[in-house]
């Protein structure tokens, strides 16, 4: 895991794409630096009466194309540099799928497994207070990420609205339906992964039906992604989470696994297959590997031994830059995170638009729009890949994104 932290990887990915992108040199230099990062201190009274002080961040990376947009992560390994990398990836993702947004990300250094629901609510509200001067429907719009969900968004929306004195649903997306959430948001990222998987198989001339897939991570993205991949005919043979992994060569019963995880809070102990550890899962001989957990899991060591024919990056930043070079050499295509997992921010955008119109759409309308936008981004990426002969799909996707963000900066000019 000593192959550069997420921020150095994100910056190296930008540099790799630079020769293939028509972007002004000055604008490119500027884009290597996040606009701002706020660090907040979060003292919380624990259930036993003691005080624990947590640390949180919100990074606003770039806003040339619109309000900042990006999720909030609660995880013990959160760092300022990780949040800044994730905010950069959001900038390239929103540009690639052509949403009128910039990029942002937030995080709190905390292990939610050590906290009660009340303590998590207190952290969420205190964090929201800490960053509330920099967020807002036209400024910066948070959403869920690792260990945060629609309940977290409800607490954020409530806290923000309490300070304003009136309800402001569109300050966050990924809300529960009862307070302005949209149909399809919970499934959106996983649905996007399944849509992108089908496009990638078709593009590579491979049969999707019956294809063996291994998915690392069984949270929001991994579980929904696994379920929808299986519904579309793929054979999800293995998955894992922080508690352990499970393997069944005939395909896992994903809905049964979801019920098991709900009951026992982890994949470990599921009796519908044999136990498998994360290292084995990443090296399995499958048609597609879908990392859907954390960054930097496909390292040089893994890349050298990886047997999957295709990698679909559902997580943000799962492949290090050094590992990418090996996968390019070994001719293993990687569909990059900024494309594969863009379904979440696309449907977040649709939620935000519905909130601002005070009008809600059907699930079918949401899913149709999601598919259209993802397919267009996939087409743009493979077109640049073919025409400019980029080394990989990531570089092509970055070239598309960098040009869009670069064009916005050029036409707006440099203030003052
Ligand atoms: P989540 O908290 O719902 O799930 C994370 C999963 O990863 C859990 O199953 C957890 O047990 C597992 N995990 C953690 N550490 C692990 C380890 N060491 N080995 C194996 N599994 C491990 O989070 P999520 O929302 O599903 O996010 C997963 C990834 O997808 C992240 O990279 C996130 O940034 C990205 N993503 C999420 C969204 C979204 O809408 N939620 C959108 C785009 C990208």
């Amino acid at each position: 895991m000593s192959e550069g932290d997420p921020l150095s990887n994100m910056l190296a990915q930008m540099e790799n794409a630079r020769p293939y992108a028509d972007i002004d040199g000055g604008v490119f230099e500027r884009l290597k630096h996040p606009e701002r990062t706020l660090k907040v201190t979060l003292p919380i009274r624990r259930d036993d009466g003691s005080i624990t002080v947590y640390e949180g961040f919100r990074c606003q990376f770039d806003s040339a194309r619109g309000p900042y947009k990006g999720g909030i992560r609660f995880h013990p390994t959160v760092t300022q540099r990780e949040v800044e990398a994730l905010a950069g990836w959001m900038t390239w993702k929103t540009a690639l799928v052509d949403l009128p947004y910039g990029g942002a990300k937030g995080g709190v250094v905390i292990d939610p497994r050590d906290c009660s629901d009340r303590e998590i609510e207190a952290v969420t509200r205190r964090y929201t207070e800490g960053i509330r001067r920099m967020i807002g429907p036209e400024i910066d719009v948070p959403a869920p990420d690792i260990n945060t969900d629609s309940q977290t968004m409800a607490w954020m929306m409530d806290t923000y609205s309490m300070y304003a004195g009136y309800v402001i649903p569109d300050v966050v997306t990924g809300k529960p339906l009862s307070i302005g959430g949209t149909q399809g948001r919970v499934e959106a990222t996983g649905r996007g992964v399944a849509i992108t998987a089908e496009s990638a198989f078709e593009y590579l001339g491979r049969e999707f039906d019956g294809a063996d897939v291994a998915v690392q991570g069984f949270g929001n993205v991994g579980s929904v992604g696994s379920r929808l991949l299986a519904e579309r005919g793929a054979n999800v043979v293995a998955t894992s989470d922080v508690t352990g992994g499970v393997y069944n060569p005939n395909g896992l019963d994903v809905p049964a696994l979801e019920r098991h995880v709900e009951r026992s809070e982890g994949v470990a102990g599921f009796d519908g297959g044999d136990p498998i550890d994360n290292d084995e899962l990443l090296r399995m001989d499958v048609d597609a590997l879908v990392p859907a957990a954390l960054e930097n899991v496909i390292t040089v060591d893994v890349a050298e031994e990886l047997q999957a024919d295709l990698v679909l990056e559902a997580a943000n930043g799962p492949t290090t830059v050094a590992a990418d070079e090996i996968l390019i050499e070994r001719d293993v295509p990687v569909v990059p995170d900024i494309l594969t997992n863009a379904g979440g921010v696309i449907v977040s955008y649709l939620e935000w638009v519905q909130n601002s119109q005070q009008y809600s759409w059907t699930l079918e309308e949401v899913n149709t729009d999601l598919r259209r936008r993802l397919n267009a981004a996939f087409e743009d990426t493979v077109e640049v890949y073919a025409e400019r002969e980029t080394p990989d799909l990531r570089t092509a996707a970055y070239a598309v994104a960098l040009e869009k963000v670069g064009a916005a900066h050029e036409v707006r000019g440099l203030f003052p």
Side-chain angles (χ1 to χ4, degrees), residues 151-178:
Q151 177 61 73
T152 325
M153 293 306 112
W155 289 326
M156 289 193 75
M157 178 276 223
D158 182 71
T159 305
Y160 188 84
S161 298
M162 282 295 147
Y163 278 102
Y166 60 102
V167 62
I168 307 180
D170 42 352
V171 65
V172 289
T173 57
K175 297 177 292 292
L177 282 177
S178 54

Side-chain angles (χ1 to χ4, degrees), residues 3-13 73 79 81-86 89 295-296 316-317 321:
E3 288 164 39
D5 67 7
L7 185 59
S8 1
N9 278 319
M10 195 281 292
L11 293 170
Q13 290 164 350
R73 172 176 294 196
T79 62
R81 285 177 68 84
E82 181 193 51
V83 169
E84 289 174 346
L86 288 159
W89 283 319
E295 300 96 50
N296 282 22
N316 284 306
V321 169

Side-chain angles (χ1 to χ4, degrees), residues 222-244:
S223 66
V224 175
S226 296
R227 185 180 355 116
L228 296 178
L229 284 163
E231 275 175 17
R232 282 151 204 255
N235 208 19
V236 180
V237 293
T239 189
S240 65
D241 68 4
V242 74
T243 67

Side-chain angles (χ1 to χ4, degrees), residues 114-340:
D114 298 341
C115 301
S116 68
D117 288 351
R118 190 207 63 81
E119 290 167 340
I120 291 292
E121 176 177 350
V123 170
T124 304
R125 289 187 183 276
R126 186 70 194 225
Y127 174 72
T128 308
E129 195 292 315
I131 65 165
R132 74 186 165 89
R133 293 158 197 83
M134 75 196 288
I135 61 173
E138 279 100 37
I139 305 167
D140 179 356
V141 186
D145 192 69
I146 293 184
N147 290 328
T148 56
D149 58 14
S150 59
Q151 177 61 73
T152 325
M153 293 306 112
W155 289 326
M156 289 193 75
M157 178 276 223
D158 182 71
T159 305
Y160 188 84
S161 298
M162 282 295 147
Y163 278 102
Y166 60 102
V167 62
I168 307 180
D170 42 352
V171 65
V172 289
T173 57
K175 297 177 292 292
L177 282 177
S178 54
I179 53 168
T182 181
Q183 301 279 352
R185 175 61 184 90
V186 174
E187 297 82 17
T189 310
R191 185 174 297 280
V193 171
I195 292 169
T196 312
E198 277 184 323
S199 303
F201 272 75
E202 193 186 328
Y203 174 71
L204 296 168
R206 297 178 66 106
E207 187 64 48
F208 182 75
D209 203 38
D212 287 346
V213 182
V215 181
Q216 185 200 35
F218 202 73
N220 171 278
V221 179
S223 66
V224 175
S226 296
R227 185 180 355 116
L228 296 178
L229 284 163
E231 275 175 17
R232 282 151 204 255
N235 208 19
V236 180
V237 293
T239 189
S240 65
D241 68 4
V242 74
T243 67
V246 61
Y247 166 66
N248 185 336
N250 301 317
L252 295 164
D253 179 346
V254 179
L257 179 56
E258 286 182 294
R259 289 193 293 276
H260 168 84
V261 169
E262 212 163 284
R263 275 195 310 271
S264 59
E265 301 200 341
V267 166
F270 180 59
D271 61 10
D274 299 322
I276 183 174
D277 68 31
N278 266 299
D279 281 344
E280 290 173 279
L281 184 143
L282 294 171
R283 292 167 172 80
M284 280 182 66
D285 187 2
V286 283
D287 296 293
L289 172 67
V290 183
L294 295 171
E295 300 96 50
N296 282 22
V297 293
I298 304 184
T299 56
V300 165
D301 287 350
V302 174
E304 275 166 353
E305 292 167 14
L306 187 139
Q307 295 183 71
D309 296 322
L310 164 70
V311 176
L312 291 154
E313 293 187 332
N316 284 306
T319 312
T320 69
V321 169
D324 254 342
E325 283 170 23
I326 292 165
L327 294 176
I328 290 168
E329 247 169 58
R330 293 189 53 207
D331 254 338
V332 181
V334 176
V335 186
D337 45 10
I338 59 171
L339 177 57
T340 310

